[in-house]
Amino acid sequence: QVRVLESGGGLVRPGGSLRLSCVASGSIFSPTVMGWYRQPPGKERELVARISSDGITSYAGSMRGRFTISRDDAKNTMYLQMSSLRPEDTAVYFCNAAIRRFQGSVPTEYWGQGTQVTVSS
């Protein structure tokens, strides 16, 4: 069994900051590509940022420069540092992780349940 769990969401004022965490637990050999997605109210889920096992990062355009994705493989944890938050960043943020359960196995994709981020004054 593999579990992916997000935390760190909440209510923040415009211009504020939040740090999201995503922990993968269970029968894990190693995570490979990990990413953050979000789903604003009434809209489709969209990519926020992605990080490879080599630490190569990519960001959706509106998040570049304001959000920073990182990972700590010793803890099977990924982070999303969000700053200069805007009301349009309000969404449920989801963790996605492609995880090798055994050495040499094909990675399997897992999703977390999501954490709510609300940016409002």
Side-chain angles (χ1 to χ4, degrees):
Q1 283 283 52
V2 174
R3 186 182 184 196
V4 175
L5 182 64
E6 306 95 336
S7 63
L11 174 64
V12 63
R13 295 185 183 277
S17 299
L18 275 178
R19 188 195 198 202
L20 306 182
S21 298
C22 168
V23 179
S25 61
S27 179
I28 296 171
F29 176 73
S30 66
T32 59
V33 177
M34 302 180 76
W36 288 99
Y37 291 73
R38 70 183 187 185
Q39 188 165 13
K43 296 185 179 180
E44 298 289 320
R45 191 175 297 190
E46 61 183 4
L47 174 68
V48 174
R50 188 180 290 153
I51 185 167
S52 73
S53 56
D54 296 329
I56 297 171
T57 60
S58 60
Y59 297 88
S62 64
M63 274 68 85
R64 192 173 294 117
R66 298 189 299 125
F67 293 5
T68 301
I69 189 172
S70 61
R71 60 192 287 170
D72 182 343
D73 287 343
K75 299 179 179 179
N76 289 331
T77 300
M78 175 180 64
Y79 304 98
L80 185 69
Q81 179 67 47
M82 304 185 293
S83 60
S84 302
L85 283 162
R86 306 166 180 169
E88 54 264 39
D89 294 317
T90 295
V92 179
Y93 284 71
F94 295 91
C95 171
N96 175 270
I99 294 174
R100 296 185 194 277
R101 296 193 62 191
F102 310 100
Q103 186 174 7
S105 65
V106 175
T108 300
E109 188 176 35
Y110 295 90
W111 288 92
Q113 294 292 316
T115 184
Q116 177 70 46
V117 172
T118 302
V119 185
S120 175
S121 56

